[in-house]
DNA sequence: CGTTCGATGCACT
DNA sequence: GTGCATCGAACGT
């Protein structure tokens, strides 16, 4: 069952932490794809220079001011869609960016989507890399502007607790890819997880949450 | 190993 | 016109 709106109607950092280990699901006519959330970032309010709400209410960022529990999807760098879960009350602009997933359902479909446009065969895509990074996960799940403002408690794009929640460590650090707002440790992730984005400096263990992905 | 840089489109000033 | 909540290939050390 999708998480209720009340889950998102809380302080954004709490929502960010609690989203780790949850399942993000996208259902389309092509099939169902999902993965466990292993990396997120919080963007909180007009006083956060990295938040899209920093310049105040604009045409693009209106979803941030809307009710909690809806998707905020936007297009970036001319080629990537990024998906957020809107948090906190109406008129309190904040959201959690979903940055990486451990693929669970529809892995073949993810590979097919990732291969689209490239000359590479779908089979050449590493499973751990399918949803590593915010641009990669939206491509694998087929999330684009059509999914902007969707109800995350709905039937098409939603977040739910997995059947069996795995145990995992959690770490906080500065947000990635920004020129401002890097002093806040508002990136939350599963340390050492093979699907988390960023520089993989040490060849640490890198264990998955679930040993074998289920399909249904 | 590390860092740089091109692709690519649009919101915002 | 500028600058992105990116990605990965290509380069340098």
């Amino acid at each position: 069952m999708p998480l209720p709106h009340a889950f998102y109607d809380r302080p954004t950092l709490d929502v960010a932490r609690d989203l780790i280990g949850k399942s993000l699901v996208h259902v389309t006519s092509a099939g169902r794809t999902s993965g466990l959330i292993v990396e997120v970032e919080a963007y909180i309010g007009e006083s956060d220079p990295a938040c899209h709400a920093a310049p105040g209410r604009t045409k693009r960022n209106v979803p941030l001011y809307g009710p909690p529990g809806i998707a905020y999807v936007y297009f970036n760098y001319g080629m990537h869609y990024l998906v957020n879960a809107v948090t906190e009350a109406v008129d309190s602009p904040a959201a959690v960016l979903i940055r990486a997933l451990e693929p669970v359902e529809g892995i073949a479909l993810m590979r097919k989507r990732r291969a689209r446009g490239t000359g590479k065969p779908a089979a050449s895509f590493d499973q751990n890399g399918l949803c590593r990074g915010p641009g990669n996960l939206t491509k694998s799940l087929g999330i684009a502007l059509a999914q902007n403002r969707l109800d995350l408690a709905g039937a098409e794009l939603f977040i739910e607790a997995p059947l069996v929640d795995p145990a995992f460590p959690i770490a906080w650090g500065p947000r990635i890819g920004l020129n401002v707002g890097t002093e806040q440790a508002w990136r939350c992730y599963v340390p050492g997880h093979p699907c988390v984005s960023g520089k993989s400096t040490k060849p640490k263990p890198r264990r998955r949450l679930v040993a074998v992905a289920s399909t249904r």
Side-chain angles (χ1 to χ4, degrees):
Chain A
M1 266 186 64
L3 298 172
H5 290 152
F7 176 87
Y8 304 95
D9 191 7
R10 296 185 296 145
T12 301
L13 294 178
D14 291 347
V15 177
R17 185 225 313 127
D18 293 343
L19 280 175
I20 301 292
K22 298 298 190 297
S23 182
L24 175 64
V25 185
H26 190 207
V27 180
T28 71
S29 57
R32 174 175 167 127
T33 45
S34 74
L36 298 174
I37 298 170
V38 295
E39 180 186 1
V40 299
E41 282 176 359
Y43 290 85
I44 309 173
E46 296 180 347
S47 60
D48 175 2
C51 182
H52 280 188
R57 200 182 294 247
T58 67
K59 179 168 187 173
R60 177 172 69 161
N61 69 24
V62 278
L64 292 175
Y65 291 80
I70 64 172
Y72 171 49
V73 181
Y74 71 96
F75 186 60
N76 196 21
Y77 289 108
M79 59 188 77
H80 299 295
Y81 298 99
L82 276 62
V83 61
N84 298 250
V86 174
T87 61
E88 309 201 12
V90 169
D91 292 332
S92 179
V96 175
L97 169 70
I98 313 296
R99 288 192 57 91
L101 308 175
E102 175 179 310
V104 175
E105 298 174 280
I107 290 170
L109 177 55
M110 290 184 188
R111 284 203 169 92
K112 187 176 161 189
R113 285 172 172 150
R114 283 295 303 279
R116 188 157 49 197
T118 76
K120 303 178 188 172
S124 69
F125 287 84
D126 171 46
Q127 181 172 326
N128 286 334
L130 288 173
C131 300
R132 184 192 292 133
N136 287 334
L137 82 86
T138 54
K139 187 166 187 185
S140 287
L141 266 59
I143 296 171
L145 286 182
Q147 280 69 46
N148 191 25
R149 310 191 73 157
L150 282 184
D151 187 349
L152 288 175
E156 180 187 337
L157 180 66
F158 57 94
I159 299 174
E160 63 183 359
L163 294 176
V164 179
D165 357 48
F168 47 83
I170 277 184
W172 292 87
R175 294 173 294 183
I176 290 180
L178 308 176
N179 296 310
V180 292
T182 51
E183 63 281 348
Q184 308 286 2
W186 286 353
R187 170 174 177 252
C188 186
Y189 59 100
V190 179
H193 193 281
C195 301
V196 168
S197 71
K199 310 296 177 194
S200 57
T201 165
K202 288 169 186 141
K204 285 183 69 173
R206 288 196 154 242
R207 263 214 314 285
R208 293 167 54 82
L209 264 39
V210 179
V212 179
S214 65
T215 308
R216 181 163 57 82

